[in-house]
Amino acid sequence: MRSHTPSFIPAWFIAVLVIACGSPGWLAQAVAQEVPFTGVVNQNQTDVRCGAADSFYRVGELKKGQLVQVDEVIVGWYKIVPPEGIHSYISKAFVDAKGDGSAGVVNTDRTEAKAADVNGPGNSYRTQAVLNKGDGVQIVAEEGSHYRIVAPSGAYVYLPPGSVRRALAMETEPAEPQEPQEPAEPKPEPEPVEEPAPVEPEPQPEPEPVVETPAEPVVVVPVVPAEPKPAVETPEPAEPEPTAVALPEPEDPSVKDLKEMLNDPPDETAEPAEPVEVLPLAELEAQIEAMLELPVEDQPLAEMIAKYEALQAAGGLSQVQAHKVASRLASLRHGLEIAQGLEVIAKAREPKPQAQTQPTEAVSYDAVGRLLASSVYDGRTLPRMYRLADPATGRAVAYIRPGGPVDSTRFLGLLVGVQGERAYDPALKLKVIAVERIDALQAAD
């Protein structure tokens, strides 16, 4: 039989094979990019978080062996559909309960559903989805002024790197139920039969020997499986973010002041807004180019957001156009958030009669600097914190946690001295202070 073993293997092929086998991290990363897929949790007591970092709060815990649906991998973190037992919070004021209270209907547009912190609604700040009037929710429980609900469509939670492996086909197929077998009926005992007299067997001729003919060798040709085509990742459109700031319960005094500055009370007598005209994408892009030539404070960001949202809602866009509209909306909303933050800082710098003057007694402060709002830790994607900057260089010397017994928001923009419980954050490489005392070291302008 002819051998099919190659007589020569190139040295470069062996080198590539050795490098690939010695780099399991590279192989794992390549496999991880093939999403979506069904995964299996491979660690006991795996924490589930509301975002793709350890700094986000916990929303639950999964056991080893649980199946999860992985839709994306972000810097090693697994973005999954919330499994059973991982819930969301929504304010009771925006939901009308129906029937026995296990279902409800949203009564206001742009209502936020928050990822449910394991410690309750007061710590749940991460927006998972935005619901509109008429959307239905499944109520699990009542907790204070919030409903705990089944996570709505479009919500996601995250598992840490290395905690999920791709599920095998046998693990995802449901087991076929076995039909119950009926017990066999007992067989009646046979009646005794008299044994016949033994008969001597007649001699038989010896059989002729059989000569075995060797079978022809069978050549098996191995079937090489076709390489799977790489999946084309479709960019996920940016989730719409509401302009209103929803506050946790109970309200933090510092957040309460920001709410008063950012959100005007709703005008119940105002007429409903007129429908926005749907313009072609090319015309909107031309308007964007003209808008960028204006000063930041004169740019009609909210108007352009409304126009792009109207075009997105009208549909009929190609995949490239839909991605372009989603990217433009995300950029406009980010610009609007920056403009609102600048407005907050400007209002915070206005004279306040209750601002404290420089203390007369000698006080030893844990940190001294100018108190500013943080554009990174803004309470949306990351926990809310304020930045204490060196007045000479502008560099951050510490971060301030809001809340507690002291309202620190009325000191925004001022040079202050801070006392409180200090902790060192290795990721920021800075001190983080929970304020117990804050003094203005200069009068308000």
Side-chain angles (χ1 to χ4, degrees):
M1 180 173 59
R2 180 178 298 175
S3 174
H4 296 277
T5 304
S7 58
F8 173 73
I9 299 177
W12 63 266
F13 178 81
I14 297 176
V16 171
L17 182 62
V18 171
I19 294 174
C21 294
S23 304
W26 177 82
L27 293 176
Q29 182 179 4
V31 173
Q33 298 304 319
E34 299 176 4
V35 291
F37 65 88
T38 300
V40 179
V41 178
N42 58 16
Q43 297 177 2
N44 283 323
Q45 299 177 341
T46 301
D47 287 336
V48 187
R49 298 190 180 272
C50 66
D54 287 328
S55 58
F56 289 97
Y57 59 83
R58 295 173 58 250
V59 297
E61 182 179 279
L62 297 182
K63 298 179 180 178
K64 184 177 182 179
Q66 284 190 247
L67 294 177
V68 293
Q69 177 63 33
V70 179
D71 278 11
E72 191 175 352
V73 180
I74 303 175
V75 290
W77 286 75
Y78 300 94
K79 179 180 179 182
I80 67 169
V81 177
E84 184 178 357
I86 305 299
H87 299 133
S88 304
Y89 281 121
I90 190 170
S91 175
K92 287 184 179 179
F94 304 137
V95 176
D96 297 329
K98 303 295 182 181
D100 60 354
S102 62
V105 177
V106 178
N107 57 30
T108 305
D109 285 337
R110 304 185 69 79
T111 298
E112 295 180 342
K114 306 285 189 177
D117 189 297
V118 294
N119 296 319
N123 299 319
S124 303
Y125 63 81
R126 176 78 168 180
T127 301
Q128 280 187 313
V130 178
L131 306 179
N132 292 317
K133 185 176 181 179
D135 291 343
V137 295
Q138 185 177 346
I139 300 173
V140 177
E142 297 184 26
E143 297 186 20
S145 62
H146 287 75
Y147 286 126
R148 177 184 286 269
I149 65 172
V150 175
S153 177
Y156 291 96
V157 291
Y158 299 81
L159 291 175
S163 61
V164 176
R165 63 171 175 82
R166 189 178 296 270
L168 303 176
M170 61 185 300
E171 293 175 314
T172 58
E173 295 178 355
E176 297 182 358
Q178 297 182 354
E179 297 182 358
Q181 298 181 355
E182 298 180 357
E185 298 181 358
K187 297 181 180 181
E189 296 182 0
E191 298 180 358
V193 180
E194 295 182 0
E195 296 181 359
V199 178
E200 295 182 1
E202 297 180 358
Q204 299 290 336
E206 295 183 359
E208 297 180 358
V210 178
V211 179
E212 295 183 358
T213 303
E216 296 182 0
V218 178
V219 178
V220 179
V221 179
V223 179
V224 180
E227 296 183 358
K229 297 182 179 180
V232 179
E233 297 185 0
T234 303
E236 182 178 350
E239 298 180 359
E241 298 182 0
T243 57
V245 178
L247 299 180
E249 292 290 344
E251 288 190 345
D252 190 316
S254 61
V255 180
K256 182 178 179 181
D257 285 352
L258 288 179
K259 178 183 178 183
E260 293 175 354
M261 287 185 285
L262 284 175
N263 300 330
D264 294 326
D267 186 2
E268 297 180 355
T269 62
E271 297 181 358
E274 297 182 358
V276 181
E277 181 183 1
V278 179
L279 300 177
L281 179 58
E283 184 174 344
L284 289 180
E285 289 296 305
Q287 293 183 13
I288 285 287
E289 295 296 331
M291 183 195 74
L292 295 177
E293 298 179 358
L294 300 174
V296 175
E297 60 272 13
D298 296 334
Q299 293 180 0
L301 296 173
E303 179 183 346
M304 295 306 300
I305 289 173
K307 291 180 179 180
Y308 273 92
E309 286 179 343
L311 178 60
Q312 188 181 57
L317 301 174
S318 66
Q319 184 177 359
V320 175
Q321 291 175 330
H323 178 56
K324 178 69 174 179
V325 170
S327 300
R328 185 66 76 184
L329 277 172
S331 177
L332 288 170
R333 287 171 182 147
H334 182 64
L336 183 60
E337 289 178 0
I338 294 176
Q340 290 174 340
L342 294 175
E343 182 180 356
V344 170
I345 295 174
K347 289 184 178 181
R349 289 178 175 175
E350 294 177 357
K352 296 181 176 61
Q354 68 273 23
Q356 299 179 8
T357 59
Q358 184 172 359
T360 57
E361 72 277 9
V363 181
S364 176
Y365 296 108
D366 294 312
V368 175
R370 190 174 300 277
L371 188 64
L372 303 174
S374 173
S375 60
V376 177
Y377 295 89
D378 55 359
R380 291 182 178 272
T381 57
L382 291 174
R384 184 182 297 279
M385 288 195 293
Y386 300 107
R387 189 165 61 94
L388 202 62
D390 186 329
T393 64
R395 298 182 62 181
V397 296
Y399 277 85
I400 305 299
R401 294 189 186 276
V406 179
D407 178 12
S408 55
T409 58
R410 61 193 181 95
F411 295 95
L412 283 172
L414 300 180
L415 182 67
V416 298
V418 177
Q419 288 181 338
E421 183 179 349
R422 296 177 298 175
Y424 180 76
D425 191 318
L428 298 174
K429 297 183 179 179
L430 290 172
K431 293 182 293 185
V432 178
I433 303 175
V435 179
E436 297 175 357
R437 172 176 175 172
I438 181 169
D439 295 323
L441 304 182
Q442 69 178 61
D445 296 335

